[in-house]
Amino acid sequence: MAAIVLYCIIPFYWMIVSSLRLPTMGRDTSFIPNPASTANYAAVFGPQNNFGRSLVNSLIVSGTTTIVTLLFGIVAAYALARLNFRGKGGVLWLIMACSMFPIVVLLPPLLKMFSSTEPFTWFPYWINTYQSVIIPGLSFGLPLAVWNLTAFFKQLPVELEQAAMVDGCTPGVAFRKVILPLAAPGVFTTAIIVFIGSWNEFLLALTFLQDPSKQTATVAISKFTGSSGFDTPYGTIMAAGVIVTVPLLLAVLIFQRRIVAGLTAGGVK
């Protein structure tokens, strides 16, 4: 376990150390920055990088993708877990099959569609729009959400809804006030996975968000240049990597507390 933890932590530690070196010491190999400097963090938010706007774009894309995925995923998963109809297993496997296509295979047809070129002249022009990244992102996040939440809803006894309906609740009210609070651990776990996947997404944003004002943080980092335009600003890139990683760590910590609270409440009930 110690070896695995070190294997996971050392790259992140190296990123922090590299970000705290002087900009002229980008290739230094010491494990402790000497002297320590925050000049790289100031350079990240320089006007030439437009990194602040890129962070806002990433938050818009990731947040919208997560919210829409949960809205559709919760309803679909609950229907698959509770309703009995012919071919239900096939529907679930078909939903999962939609996420099996590599993103590289989908990029050429999506690019032609979003560019309104033949044979998709009827489709609206979506290049440099948020929906060009959010909608394809749903095709990967939604199957995962439906699969995880379906298994979670199946573990909840159906007698809970029946007891609520005996007390006068409609099926919708029973789902909203009884089942959904108990499903909070699964919902928050799914939200974490979908948000992290959307936040780290690169190929879709690189292809469809060509306008610098619409680019996400991952794309902006890949386009960082040095003072001459040819040198690689290693320290600035490492500092931007730390800034991009911090929101993910905070999200995991916040949601982990809610997951533990939801599991404890479910156990007490």
Side-chain angles (χ1 to χ4, degrees):
M1 288 299 297
I4 294 175
V5 170
L6 287 175
Y7 178 80
C8 296
I9 289 180
I10 286 179
F12 184 67
Y13 172 77
W14 186 257
M15 183 168 62
I16 295 176
V17 169
S18 300
S19 69
L20 292 175
R21 296 192 180 104
L22 292 173
T24 56
M25 302 170 59
R27 296 187 179 183
D28 188 74
T29 57
S30 59
F31 277 84
I32 298 177
N34 187 22
S37 171
T38 59
N40 289 318
Y41 289 92
V44 169
F45 293 97
Q48 73 279 7
N49 294 325
N50 197 25
F51 192 67
R53 179 61 191 176
S54 299
L55 287 175
V56 174
N57 293 335
S58 290
L59 185 60
I60 293 174
V61 172
S62 303
T64 305
T65 302
T66 302
I67 292 172
V68 176
T69 297
L70 291 179
L71 289 177
F72 285 97
I74 290 173
V75 176
Y78 184 72
L80 289 171
R82 288 291 189 258
L83 299 181
N84 293 318
F85 55 91
R86 182 177 300 178
K88 182 171 68 173
V91 171
L92 188 58
W93 282 106
L94 181 62
I95 292 174
M96 284 302 300
C98 294
S99 64
M100 300 300 177
F101 296 97
I103 185 64
V104 177
V105 176
L106 299 178
L107 282 179
L110 286 176
L111 183 60
K112 289 179 67 68
M113 179 180 292
F114 295 162
S115 301
S116 299
T117 56
E118 293 289 346
F120 302 105
T121 54
W122 52 269
F123 197 85
Y125 187 80
W126 273 11
I127 298 299
N128 292 324
T129 61
Y130 293 129
Q131 60 264 30
S132 65
V133 180
I134 294 173
I135 300 301
L138 292 177
S139 64
F140 295 95
L142 197 54
L144 177 64
V146 172
W147 185 270
N148 288 342
L149 293 175
T150 298
F152 198 90
F153 283 133
K154 286 183 177 179
Q155 296 177 358
L156 298 177
V158 69
E159 289 79 10
L160 293 174
E161 293 118 303
Q162 294 174 351
M165 285 185 279
V166 168
D167 290 336
C169 293
T170 63
V173 174
F175 168 73
R176 180 168 55 88
K177 292 189 175 182
V178 177
I179 299 301
L180 199 56
L182 293 177
V187 172
F188 284 120
T189 302
T190 304
I192 291 173
I193 298 173
V194 174
F195 184 86
I196 291 177
S198 180
W199 183 269
N200 292 329
E201 201 287 319
F202 177 74
L203 283 178
L204 290 174
L206 179 66
T207 304
F208 302 134
L209 301 179
Q210 302 168 4
D211 186 355
S213 64
K214 292 294 182 66
Q215 289 176 351
T216 58
T218 53
V219 177
I221 292 174
S222 69
K223 297 184 178 182
F224 278 6
T225 57
S227 57
S228 66
F230 296 97
D231 57 328
T232 302
Y234 294 103
T236 306
I237 293 174
M238 292 295 183
V242 173
I243 295 172
V244 169
T245 306
V246 166
L248 299 183
L249 295 177
L250 293 177
V252 170
L253 290 175
I254 293 173
F255 282 120
Q256 274 186 341
R257 293 178 181 178
R258 296 187 179 182
I259 289 173
V260 172
L263 288 173
T264 304
V268 173
K269 291 180 181 178

